[in-house]
Every structure is written in structure tokens, then in C-alpha cells.
Amino acid sequence: MTRFATVSLCCALLCACSSETTNSNLIKTKAIWSDIYVTSNGQDSRVIAELNVSSKNGNNLNLVAGDKLTVTATQYTVVNGTDAVESVITKDMHKDIDIFDIDYRATLPFNQEDTKYEIQFYRADDKETLTSTVTLPQPMVITSPQQGQVFPVDEVLELSWEQAAVLKGHQPLHIYLESSCKNGSKEITNTYVFNDVEDNGQKNIDFNSINIFKNDELNSNFTCKVKFEFERRRYGTADSKYAAGSRAYAKTHATLENIQITLK
């Protein structure tokens, strides 16, 4: 996740990011909330599973006493019009700890559209396995503008990308925008999110209509840049034994940065 997305989803909502932990052998399966996703930047893919007690705001789950997470990724190729298995990899997912959170991760050398991921949570005491499934959407490829291009603030910026050839199920596209304006030691930043963008390969950005540069302190002495993060999602299926509200999805993303904006 990009820095500004992390800030907006966690730091700004600190109360929703518990740093407390509970060992998994103390919690019944039906009380475990899961947020499981696969993310690819076109190079490889990372599988991330966050397990909390009851809800996203609950204590982080620390896997102990034989409880474990594994992922099996299956990449397909088309032979005579039919999908055929090309490669299968299974990996254990390992604990990752940061200042706010505990989650479990694995990295796999796949980025191809429709690669299937089965994330399995084995509960040792109950000898049962919960399986969640997602498939990667089409890779996100930005075609214009190019990094370093300059645009006046009152000019409409045309974003272009390779549109989704086939939309499968619930597959939204989000575009995250971050601006940064500097004048000496002073910096003014802002963010904006375009949710559920039509995945048709083009989006016009009118800076005047979204007001990210409408600030009395900003003037032509500031040097401004914007960055765009594109995120195409495809929702999968979380095992029904998890707590209500659990989810599983895969996303492909790409970043366009260092676009210069000149102020009046």
C-alpha cells in the first residue's frame, strides 16, 4: 500500500488499528475476523493475511500451538483454447510485525491475470482447515502521461491505461491521488480518492473541481507534484467459518509519480 493510503486507512484512524495481541489457541474459529488479499505490481505477488479477534478493530491474532497459514498459487496457461495448469507453488506464510499490526505474508513469483490463490488457515486443536480463494485481475498498466510531464493547474489532465479486457464479478478500479507543494522549508500536501472508476482506459482529472490546490497559502512560488496510484481489485471468497465481515480479494496496482503542476 502507498504511504498516503496507509496514512488515510490507519494513522488517521488510529483507534481502528489495534496493537494488542491474543494467542490463537485462546480464540474459537467463529470469533476470528480475516482480511486476506493478494497484491501484485506486475513483478511478483505478495499474499497478506490479517487475523483479528471479532472484527477489524479487535486484537491481532498471534498464531501458536500448531495453527498456521499457507498459500497455494496456481498459474494457468491457455492451450488450444482451454486453461491448463502451468505452475503450482505452495508456501508457508510468516509473521510480519510493524508498529501498528501483525499480519502473515508470503511472496510468490507470479503476476499473471487469473492466477488462483488458495489461502489455508489450519487450526490444530480442531484439526480443520479454512480455505479462502482469490484470483488476480488483469495487470495495471499506465500509458499516459509520462513521469516528469508538466501541466498547468487549470488544464485537464488526461490519464490513460490499458483497460480491463474482461470484467469478472465485482472488480472495481480505484485511483488514489497525492499532491505535494513545496516552497523552501514549507510543504503543503493533500489527497483525493476516485472510487469505482469506470475501467475504460481513460479518466480526465480537473484539479479545480477536486480542490486539492485550493489553499490560500499556495501561490506560484510553490513547486507542486502529484502522484497517482491505480488499484484494480477482484473480490474472492473468504471461508464462511470466519467471523462476519471477513473478506478476501486480489489487486493489481501501478504508480505514476513526479507529474509537475504549475500554479497561477
Side-chain angles (χ1 to χ4, degrees):
M1 182 179 287
T2 59
R3 177 179 64 83
F4 62 90
T6 302
V7 168
S8 63
L9 293 179
C10 194
C11 294
L13 299 173
L14 186 57
C15 62
C17 299
S18 173
S19 60
E20 299 297 321
T21 62
T22 299
N23 286 339
S24 61
N25 62 332
L26 301 176
I27 304 298
K28 295 294 185 181
T29 298
K30 64 182 180 181
I32 297 175
W33 175 88
S34 69
D35 189 35
I36 296 170
Y37 64 95
V38 178
T39 177
S40 174
N41 61 1
Q43 302 298 318
D44 54 18
S45 57
R46 288 183 299 145
V47 186
I48 300 172
E50 180 178 347
L51 304 178
N52 291 356
V53 179
S54 299
S55 71
K56 66 180 179 180
N57 300 329
N59 287 3
N60 293 294
L61 208 65
N62 181 46
L63 300 188
V64 296
D67 289 349
K68 66 177 182 178
L69 282 158
T70 60
V71 56
T72 297
T74 305
Q75 183 170 268
Y76 298 90
T77 189
V78 178
V79 178
N80 296 326
T82 303
D83 286 346
V85 174
E86 180 178 287
S87 184
V88 180
I89 296 176
T90 297
K91 278 191 171 185
D92 290 335
M93 299 178 66
H94 297 287
K95 183 163 59 177
D96 182 84
I97 303 174
D98 66 22
I99 190 171
F100 293 117
D101 214 0
I102 290 178
D103 55 39
Y104 290 81
R105 303 185 176 213
T107 300
L108 296 154
F110 294 153
N111 58 33
Q112 183 175 300
E113 181 181 5
D114 293 332
T115 299
K116 180 181 178 180
Y117 298 80
E118 290 187 337
I119 300 90
Q120 296 189 320
F121 179 32
Y122 177 68
R123 304 234 61 198
D125 283 351
D126 298 329
K127 294 183 172 54
E128 71 172 351
T129 300
L130 284 67
T131 301
S132 301
T133 305
V134 298
T135 56
L136 273 182
Q138 180 178 319
M140 197 74 241
V141 179
I142 304 166
T143 55
S144 68
Q146 303 301 308
Q147 294 190 23
Q149 281 192 249
V150 181
F151 295 87
V153 70
D154 56 357
E155 179 179 315
V156 173
L157 187 155
E158 296 182 359
L159 295 175
S160 298
W161 63 92
E162 292 183 6
Q163 71 182 80
V166 179
L167 294 177
K168 298 181 178 179
H170 184 201
Q171 185 175 296
L173 171 65
H174 306 296
I175 301 176
Y176 302 90
L177 167 61
E178 181 184 81
S179 67
S180 173
C181 294
K182 294 182 180 180
N183 182 15
S185 61
K186 187 172 184 60
E187 180 177 11
I188 298 174
T189 63
N190 211 335
T191 62
Y192 193 88
V193 181
F194 300 93
N195 287 309
D196 295 321
V197 176
E198 185 177 357
D199 202 343
N200 62 1
Q202 186 172 350
K203 173 73 175 175
N204 291 335
I205 307 299
D206 182 353
F207 294 115
N208 288 326
S209 68
I210 60 177
N211 296 327
I212 64 170
F213 296 113
K214 294 291 181 66
N215 186 312
D216 291 340
E217 296 183 74
L218 287 176
N219 55 55
S220 59
N221 294 322
F222 281 80
T223 299
C224 296
K225 297 180 181 180
V226 294
K227 176 169 66 175
F228 296 93
E229 178 81 13
F230 292 68
E231 181 188 288
R232 180 180 281 141
R233 289 191 181 191
R234 182 182 292 172
Y235 283 88
T237 303
D239 195 294
S240 61
K241 296 185 183 71
Y242 283 116
S246 296
R247 62 180 183 173
Y249 62 93
K251 62 182 182 179
T252 53
H253 61 95
T255 302
L256 172 64
E257 55 189 345
N258 197 29
I259 302 298
Q260 314 285 325
I261 305 298
T262 56
L263 303 183
K264 299 295 185 179

